Amino acid sequence: MPHRRQRHRQVAPADRAGHRGRDEAVPVKYILATKLVNELIEAADDLVLSKTIARYGRVDLLCVDELGDIELDRRGAELLFQVLTEREEKSSLAIASNDSSGGWTKTFTDPRLCAAIVDRLTYNGAIIGNRHRLLPARPNPRPSRTQRQPPPG
């Protein structure tokens, strides 16, 4: 399960983007990177890859979570690259990762493919940092029941 605040930072704007007007909804798809890559591999094996890539290309906003958390083999990385290429300059893409793009060489083991994917993601894009992970948890301002003092009397 993704970190709650990280997922919120991705899903909340997607929810807002999903409603242009009262009756005009925008197609938004949220998916884990592992699930997306597995679906692409299965589609390639079933000879329906072009339909699957086209389906992900039609979504106005694609939110991919936990990219960089697992190592992808060359085939999975190439299939993901095809989805990114299909969406390039046509549709919006939100990526959530626990690692900066500089650490993605562990995820995408081919350095040239890694550079191409980072290039696809950063061209005309905005990078939003995860500073919230570096901050300590806020202490609870209200004492628990066991810490409360009994009323005088």
Side-chain angles (χ1 to χ4, degrees):
M1 186 73 180
H3 190 274
R4 193 169 119 206
R5 280 185 261 165
Q6 175 185 351
R7 185 166 187 261
H8 175 74
R9 289 181 74 183
Q10 190 178 35
V11 173
D15 281 345
R16 285 192 299 273
H19 301 285
R20 284 187 188 148
R22 178 172 256 159
D23 299 322
E24 189 180 353
V26 177
V28 176
K29 173 76 174 166
Y30 172 86
I31 191 165
L32 296 174
T34 52
K35 185 175 179 185
L36 174 59
V37 170
N38 288 337
E39 186 178 334
L40 293 170
I41 290 170
E42 289 173 10
D45 292 344
D46 295 341
L47 304 176
V48 292
L49 181 61
S50 59
K51 287 182 182 180
T52 304
I53 290 175
R55 182 167 36 91
Y56 281 106
R58 286 190 298 270
V59 177
D60 284 351
L61 174 60
L62 178 62
C63 301
V64 181
D65 198 3
E66 298 183 3
L67 186 67
D69 290 355
I70 58 147
E71 183 178 314
L72 297 176
D73 64 358
R74 182 168 180 84
R75 182 178 184 210
E78 287 173 348
L79 293 172
L80 180 62
F81 182 74
Q82 288 182 39
V83 171
L84 300 178
T85 300
E86 175 69 22
R87 299 186 58 76
E88 186 179 26
E89 294 189 24
K90 296 181 206 170
S91 306
S92 298
L93 182 67
I95 300 288
S97 177
N98 291 328
D99 206 354
S100 68
S101 59
W104 285 0
T105 53
K106 295 176 289 205
T107 299
F108 307 105
T109 54
D110 179 0
R112 292 181 70 176
L113 186 56
C114 180
I117 287 173
V118 170
D119 182 58
R120 287 280 189 271
L121 294 175
T122 57
Y123 180 73
N124 282 338
I127 299 172
I128 303 169
N130 339 352
R131 292 190 194 145
H132 67 275
R133 291 190 176 277
L134 303 176
L135 299 175
R138 287 184 281 172
N140 189 354
R142 296 184 61 192
S144 68
R145 288 184 183 174
T146 57
Q147 293 173 333
R148 292 186 187 147
Q149 299 295 326

